[in-house]
């Protein structure tokens, strides 16, 4: 079962400039940043709010780190803007299998590592009416209380 909008991915040419725009315009702060070598991106997760299932909703800003990355190719074709939408689920494997049975192509045979230690897979945009869709199972969040 899908539980929330986990994040909306936005492709950009200059991550620092985009972070500053979202900070100065909307007051959003960077919750997490990392370089994902496998996907060839540098990213910043801007936390929007908490959700009832214990997760959160984010904007994910993505800057390519190499020209052969999927995001770099997408930017070359489309320019900056919304790249994908991601839905949260407790079990990305089961959700992907269920959706695949409904005739939607799943892009990864096995889920991969995503932001903040999550497990992810993508659904083919041609099967989702032009929307690149990601499924995300968040990594457990360590509580500051013991």
């Amino acid at each position: 079962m899908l539980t929330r909008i986990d994040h909306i991915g936005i492709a950009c040419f200059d991550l620092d400039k985009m972070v500053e725009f979202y900070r100065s315009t909307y007051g959003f702060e960077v919750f997490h940043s990392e370089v994902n070598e496998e996907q060839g991106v540098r990213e910043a997760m801007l936390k929007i709010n908490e959700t009832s299932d214990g997760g959160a909703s984010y904007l994910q800003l993505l800057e390519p780190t190499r020209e052969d990355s999927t995001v770099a190719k997408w930017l070359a074709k489309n320019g900056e803007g919304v790249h994908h939408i991601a839905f949260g689920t407790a079990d990305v494997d089961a959700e992907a299998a269920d959706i695949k049975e409904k005739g939607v192509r799943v892009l990864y045979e096995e889920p991969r590592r995503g932001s903040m230690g999550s497990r992810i897979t993508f659904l083919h945009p041609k099967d989702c009416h032009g929307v690149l869709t990601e499924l995300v199972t968040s990594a457990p969040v360590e509580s500051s209380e013991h």
Side-chain angles (χ1 to χ4, degrees), residues 27-146:
F28 298 152
E29 295 294 333
V30 174
F31 179 79
H32 176 82
S33 62
E34 68 181 85
V35 173
N36 186 320
E37 295 294 343
E38 180 184 1
Q39 294 181 22
V41 295
R42 186 170 79 112
E43 64 179 80
M45 296 293 273
L46 285 62
K47 190 176 198 176
I48 308 304
N49 66 315
E50 303 292 332
T51 61
S52 62
D53 67 356
S57 292
Y58 302 90
L59 287 179
Q60 179 187 45
L61 307 178
L62 300 159
E63 174 191 72
T65 58
R66 57 180 199 264
E67 290 182 22
D68 68 338
S69 74
T70 302
V71 172
K73 292 173 186 175
W74 189 90
L75 276 166
K77 182 178 178 183
N78 301 291
E80 292 184 316
V82 175
H83 180 262
H84 67 275
I85 186 167
F87 294 109
T89 178
D91 187 344
V92 70
D93 298 276
E95 194 67 36
D98 183 55
I99 291 172
K100 187 175 184 177
E101 285 181 15
K102 296 173 182 172
V104 175
R105 288 175 281 178
V106 177
L107 297 182
Y108 302 154
E109 191 69 32
E110 294 290 326
R112 296 181 183 179
R113 182 198 165 283
S115 299
M116 300 184 291
S118 63
R119 296 185 71 238
I120 65 165
T121 195
F122 285 91
L123 308 178
H124 200 293
K126 289 184 179 177
D127 297 345
C128 298
H129 299 274
V131 179
L132 179 60
T133 304
E134 182 179 5
L135 304 177
V136 179
T137 297
S138 299
V141 178
E142 290 188 25
S143 172
S144 57
E145 300 174 8
H146 293 282

Side-chain angles (χ1 to χ4, degrees), residues 12-32:
C12 63
F13 293 109
D14 185 332
L15 184 67
D16 297 325
K17 183 177 174 182
M18 191 69 84
V19 164
E20 182 52 36
F21 169 79
Y22 280 97
R23 179 181 293 127
S24 65
T25 305
Y26 304 114
F28 298 152
E29 295 294 333
V30 174
F31 179 79
H32 176 82

